[in-house]
Amino acid sequence: MAQPAMLMAEGLTAAALADLPMADRAYLESELQVRLGRYDHVTRLPNRLQFLEQFENFVHDDAPAMLVLVTLAEAKHYNEILRALGMAFAEDFVRAGAALLGSLLDDDVAVYHVSVLSFAFVLPVDDIAEIPGVTARIAAAFAGAISVNEIPIKTHVGVGLLPIEAIRPAAESLRAALVAAQDSRRTDAGLSFYDHRSDAAHLRAFRILADLPHALSGPNQLSLHYQPRVQLKSGRCHGAEALIRWNHPELGAISPAEFIPLAEQTALIGPLTDWVITTALQQNRELLDAGHDLRISINASPVNLSEDGFDEQLLRRCNAVGLAPRNVELEFTEGTLATNSARTVQQLKRLRSAGIDVALDDFGSGYSNLSYLARIPADVLKIDQSFVRPLKEAGDDDFLLRHIIMIASGLGFRVCAEGIETLHAYEHLRELGCDEGQGYHMARPMPADLLTQWLDAQPAI
Ligand code: C2E
Ligand code: MG
Ligand code: MG
């Protein structure tokens, strides 16, 4: 029942309310509750706010209960429905899902519409380790398609189960049940209990993203290591790749292979690449002052190159620290060309014409296609480690390597092999005509001061 105070906030006095017929009054109250944010406007079901408020009624030590969360589709799938069929139809889809769900549940089960695509309800159970029969029926009913305005629409339903426990607050219970529902999409039965082991990965990802801004603004957590790149014929080191390192005060060392892909999903990749560029240019300047004229490679993420002005900024910053463009190289991966490819290609071309080398990283690891190589705006092609590391002794299969090197050289690229771990690989690649290489056989990535020492110790060539 709505409070008089709420109604009066809508401009109705208590006396005027009392004069309304019962049906009008009930309608008015439900309308007000929708407007006051307690019901979902699409399904008119109680929303997340109400679930959170009423959650404590479900927690009883002596009466075990199960929180069930049903999510109709993945966001990507929902967006496809939105794009293809429009918003009104997408809302019909959600309403049809809610109706089907309601038809499978007893009348006394309250269903809450807790997010655009998710519904939650609580079932009393005898055994919290057992799957309630009705949830298996729900998973089966949603498997395949549901009818929306007589059109069969595929759902990607997830059903998550979480035994209710007093120690887990309402919001945390909902989150855990959602994780279970997402996990359930990977199971045959289409439903899944909450499993804290799979959830640990979600929590870690969240923590990493939450802590990254602090790491970026402080002086101690992030650093760059440099891995020498050598010319295979002469053995001379002419450059190094800057590789970011994160030493987290509590989680310890976090690999860039873990946090870069996470940062790439957020706006944090912008400031992160900024930090890498600033640090790499500064340290390269110091190396030059110490007598080492190197080309430092910087890894760029797809988003960086699709942002307007990235090229000009890099050139300006090079200039500002007194480095020539030939002292810098930019690495990008094939995936980069898939995002806003026109602007990306334009920026890569601009950088190359200004004298900054561009390298295609990890060639062969993605959807590599030899026939499109000719159109790639790059000077260097870095062959992915997966082709190089298996090369351990004479007779090891080099069929693909041999042909990639031949074709790439024929197209005018300098070819660099990544992951050279043995003397055999080094010599064999040199014989195959590979120009440059990087790998543990020559040197592991190291901090800038150790790179200076390492360079000082190299024989003069
Ligand atoms: P990548 O750019 O392909 O870098 C090469 C990776 O191979 C580095 O891993 C390097 O330490 C490792 N490596 C080099 N030689 C060998 C070898 O002989 N054997 C083996 N097993 N590994 C070798 P790392 O430093 O962990 O970086 C992983 C990836 O993270 C990089 O792959 C790159 O994609 C990304 N990354 C690193 N730093 C940055 C950065 O500053 N910005 C961006 N956007 N990405 C970065
Ligand atoms: Mg790289
Ligand atoms: Mg690479």
Side-chain angles (χ1 to χ4, degrees):
M1 168 82 65
Q3 300 299 310
M6 289 184 192
L7 299 175
M8 281 187 283
E10 293 286 314
L12 267 176
T13 62
L17 182 67
D19 289 343
L20 284 175
M22 257 328 263
D24 290 355
R25 192 168 148 176
Y27 174 76
L28 185 66
E29 281 173 2
S30 93
E31 277 301 296
L32 278 177
Q33 290 221 333
V34 168
R35 267 188 261 158
L36 292 169
R38 296 172 53 76
Y39 284 83
D40 185 90
H41 75 282
V42 173
T43 56
R44 309 248 153 184
L45 288 170
N47 66 8
R48 189 175 59 93
L49 199 72
Q50 290 209 51
F51 176 85
L52 298 178
E53 273 175 16
Q54 291 162 18
F55 183 74
E56 63 190 39
N57 302 333
F58 303 129
V59 186
H60 300 291
D61 286 344
D62 50 347
M66 186 83 75
L67 169 61
V68 184
L69 191 134
V70 177
T71 176
L72 294 180
E74 286 167 284
K76 185 167 162 266
H77 176 219
Y78 185 66
N79 282 338
E80 279 163 11
I81 297 177
L82 271 174
R83 279 172 59 129
L85 301 164
M87 286 180 194
F89 189 91
E91 290 186 354
D92 287 344
F93 167 70
V94 174
R95 272 191 286 269
L100 177 57
L101 181 63
S103 73
L104 296 163
L105 291 168
D106 288 343
D107 288 345
D108 59 351
V109 177
V111 178
Y112 298 82
H113 193 165
V114 291
S115 72
V116 177
L117 294 170
S118 299
F119 303 93
F121 54 90
V122 175
L123 297 174
V125 288
D126 296 326
D127 182 349
I128 53 162
E130 265 181 29
I131 293 174
V134 67
T135 59
R137 288 196 290 282
I138 291 170
F142 277 94
I146 63 170
S147 173
V148 185
N149 303 338
E150 284 160 38
I151 301 173
I153 295 290
K154 244 183 111 42
T155 63
H156 291 251
V157 83
V159 181
L161 306 173
L162 178 85
I164 289 187
E165 289 174 299
I167 51 157
R168 202 191 297 277
E172 172 56 17
S173 294
L174 261 192
R175 190 197 66 80
L178 180 68
V179 170
Q182 287 172 345
D183 285 352
S184 76
R185 294 207 176 92
R186 294 195 295 270
T187 66
D188 288 339
L191 38 80
S192 169
F193 275 100
Y194 170 67
D195 177 351
H196 65 89
R197 281 165 309 182
S198 73
D199 192 23
H202 292 80
L203 287 175
R204 183 175 160 93
F206 190 73
R207 169 100 194 259
I208 284 175
L209 286 176
D211 291 352
L212 190 52
H214 180 67
L216 279 165
S217 61
N220 301 323
Q221 296 189 33
L222 298 177
S223 63
L224 289 182
H225 280 198
Y226 294 90
Q227 184 175 39
R229 192 152 123 199
V230 303
Q231 273 156 355
L232 297 188
K233 256 198 195 128
S234 63
R236 198 175 79 84
C237 170
H238 62 287
E241 177 173 5
L243 294 159
I244 193 167
R245 296 290 176 261
W246 183 1
N247 193 11
H248 189 285
E250 279 144 37
L251 302 176
I254 308 175
S255 159
E258 182 175 8
F259 71 85
I260 296 278
L262 290 174
E264 283 175 341
Q265 304 300 318
T266 72
L268 288 169
I269 195 63
L272 189 142
T273 303
D274 253 16
W275 183 91
V276 172
I277 292 175
T278 308
T279 313
L281 293 182
Q282 187 54 41
Q283 292 182 327
N284 195 8
R285 174 74 236 182
E286 287 160 18
L287 282 160
L288 190 62
D289 293 341
H292 300 294
D293 190 347
L294 294 181
R295 179 180 290 136
I296 297 292
S297 308
I298 293 168
N299 290 282
S301 292
V303 189
N304 303 136
L305 278 157
S306 69
E307 264 168 17
D308 207 13
F310 178 82
D311 49 356
E312 288 306 326
Q313 239 195 59
L314 181 58
L315 289 165
R316 238 195 333 267
R317 289 161 78 177
C318 253
N319 196 29
V321 289
L323 285 172
R326 64 172 176 77
N327 287 121
V328 180
E329 181 182 84
L330 198 77
E331 296 191 9
F332 72 102
T333 52
E334 286 161 87
T336 309
L337 294 175
T339 40
N340 200 346
S341 106
R343 185 178 292 155
T344 301
V345 167
Q346 194 189 354
Q347 302 216 56
L348 291 172
K349 285 185 173 160
R350 166 86 185 93
L351 289 171
R352 292 182 70 200
S353 69
I356 289 188
D357 269 3
V358 166
L360 176 63
D361 201 0
D362 301 342
F363 181 75
S365 67
Y367 306 98
S368 306
N369 181 342
L370 282 175
S371 63
Y372 91 145
L373 257 186
R375 281 179 281 128
I376 286 194
D379 305 278
V380 179
L381 188 131
K382 295 185 81 174
I383 302 176
D384 190 63
Q385 312 187 0
S386 55
F387 295 92
V388 180
R389 281 164 59 194
L391 211 61
K392 292 198 163 63
E393 55 191 52
D396 282 346
D397 183 19
D398 67 357
F399 178 82
L400 276 172
L401 257 182
R402 179 186 297 273
H403 285 84
I404 294 174
I405 294 171
M406 206 168 70
I407 294 171
S409 300
L411 288 169
F413 292 104
R414 296 205 310 278
V415 184
C416 173
E418 299 191 89
I420 300 181
E421 293 185 344
T422 60
L423 176 63
H424 167 71
Y426 183 101
E427 289 176 338
H428 194 65
L429 283 158
R430 188 179 55 199
E431 280 155 25
L432 292 178
C434 181
D435 304 289
E436 305 173 7
Q438 232 176 291
Y440 294 171
H441 172 67
M442 291 84 94
R444 288 182 178 247
M446 57 190 116
D449 51 343
L450 291 187
L451 177 69
T452 314
Q453 289 177 25
W454 184 88
L455 289 164
D456 286 341
Q458 294 304 296
I461 297 169

